[in-house]
Amino acid sequence: MTILVESFANYRQITLNRPERLNALTVEMATALSAALDEAAADDTCRALLLTGAGRGFCAGQDLTAIVDAKPADLGHLLDHYHPLILKLRALPIPVVCAVNGVAAGAGANLALACDIVLAARSASFVEAFARIGLIPDCGGTWFLPRLIGTARARALAMLAEPLSAEIAAEWGLIWQAVEDDRLMAEAQALAARLATQATMALALTKRALDAAATNPLDRQLDLERDLQAEAGASPDHREGVRAFLDKRPPVFTGRPR
Ligand code: LHQ
């Protein structure tokens, strides 16, 4: 199986599972991942997702053995499998934590960057490897990089294809945190479990607003915030949050829209 799905109390863990190839991506894997995202989204009890990789790597990007003889059009067709996955991850109405357990290269790096909160093991690295094989960063790389770390760093990473350590990635704001290798999964699971107890709908709407902000002018973004706030305000979790604050007790969120 190219991916493994484990269910915990309120969240699911998806593990990319081709460790002998550093979890390099194939169409089969992308299809399985896409189905796993759909299943997670359809399950009301699943209120967060954790994505990680089996073995010593997170994901080495496209499996190069599969494209060695590919025609130019084939590369485009391949991305027809990967790019919808990136959009699906961004639009998922639950938070997605990524635990980058080892090297994240090419599309694998950008798959990690598409997640909401990225933790990486201190020994992990990020490589926008595309330039090494005469390609451009895909799977959102040219969108995520400049937004996360600014154009100067984005251009150098994309053009030089040098590995970036987890620590510098965190320092630059490419990811949330670098953590000790032996603490990675415990911390990532604790984070997913914590997010799974939060007000799920508000988190989903927050994702939407943050993504829209990348292209909206301020006036349109303020209108969007007003509309989404009205939606969030109609949720039982909003009422519970306010009540819990006034009662001086921790809130108990259900994650249900009504
Ligand atoms: C691999 C791979 C790999 C196959 C390691 N494929 N076997 C999408 C579709 C359409 C158009 C094109 O673009 C894309 C998006 C992309 O992702 S393009 C970019 C593809 N990825 C790369 O170019 C990265 C290639 N890999 C590497 O540069 C290195 O393997 C990294 C830096 C990831 C890790 O280096 P090391 O830690 O030294 O490991 P390694 O190179 O020894 O790899 C371990 C094994 O995994 C090895 O196999 P072997 O049989 O010798 O043990 C590699 O051949 C295999 N492997 N990446 N992408």
Side-chain angles (χ1 to χ4, degrees):
M1 285 205 285
T2 55
I3 64 162
L4 304 171
V5 182
E6 289 164 84
S7 290
F8 293 91
N10 283 330
Y11 72 94
R12 290 182 187 197
Q13 178 174 319
I14 300 179
T15 305
L16 306 175
N17 189 37
R18 300 182 70 227
E20 69 291 349
R21 294 244 161 260
L22 300 180
N23 304 314
L25 292 169
T26 60
V27 170
E28 186 194 349
M29 197 177 195
T31 307
L33 190 49
S34 178
L37 297 184
D38 287 340
E39 281 160 28
D43 176 359
D44 287 347
T45 68
C46 178
R47 293 168 58 191
L49 212 59
L50 171 55
L51 180 65
T52 191
R56 75 173 177 89
F58 170 69
C59 176
Q62 168 63 33
D63 188 321
L64 296 178
T65 63
I67 61 164
V68 63
D69 294 322
K71 298 182 187 66
D74 295 341
L75 299 186
H77 291 319
L78 260 180
L79 292 177
D80 288 341
H81 293 277
Y82 301 154
H83 284 176
L85 201 54
I86 300 294
L87 291 176
K88 197 173 274 188
L89 261 179
R90 297 298 283 190
L92 215 62
I94 54 176
V96 184
V97 174
C98 186
V100 179
N101 52 301
V103 66
N110 298 332
L111 178 65
L113 300 183
C115 297
D116 295 310
I117 302 185
V118 185
L119 298 181
R122 225 167 264 285
S123 67
S125 58
F126 295 82
V127 199
E128 293 290 330
F130 307 87
R132 293 183 186 173
I133 55 168
L135 292 177
I136 69 151
D138 55 25
C139 291
T142 58
W143 197 88
F144 295 125
L145 286 171
R147 284 172 170 79
L148 290 166
I149 57 175
T151 54
R153 285 166 169 166
R155 276 172 195 254
L157 281 188
M159 296 176 83
L160 301 175
E162 284 178 9
L164 190 72
S165 70
E167 212 154 342
I168 297 184
E171 216 177 282
W172 285 5
L174 187 70
I175 63 167
W176 169 233
Q177 271 175 1
V179 301
E180 294 309 322
D181 287 20
D182 60 1
R183 295 285 312 145
L184 177 71
M185 286 319 294
E187 299 230 357
Q189 288 176 341
L191 190 57
R194 171 181 158 190
L195 286 163
T197 65
Q198 289 185 222
T200 312
M201 188 174 151
L203 299 181
L205 298 176
T206 300
K207 287 175 67 152
R208 255 172 66 192
L210 287 171
D211 274 356
T215 49
N216 266 348
L218 180 60
D219 57 348
R220 205 168 314 147
Q221 187 66 14
L222 289 171
D223 287 348
L224 179 69
E225 287 180 0
R226 178 201 55 214
D227 294 347
L228 297 183
Q229 198 67 291
E231 268 189 62
S235 68
D237 282 346
H238 163 60
R239 286 190 295 281
E240 166 62 7
V242 174
R243 222 176 289 125
F245 174 79
L246 296 175
D247 293 350
K248 300 189 187 303
R249 61 170 173 82
V252 181
F253 294 123
T254 64
R256 297 207 183 89
R258 54 186 65 80

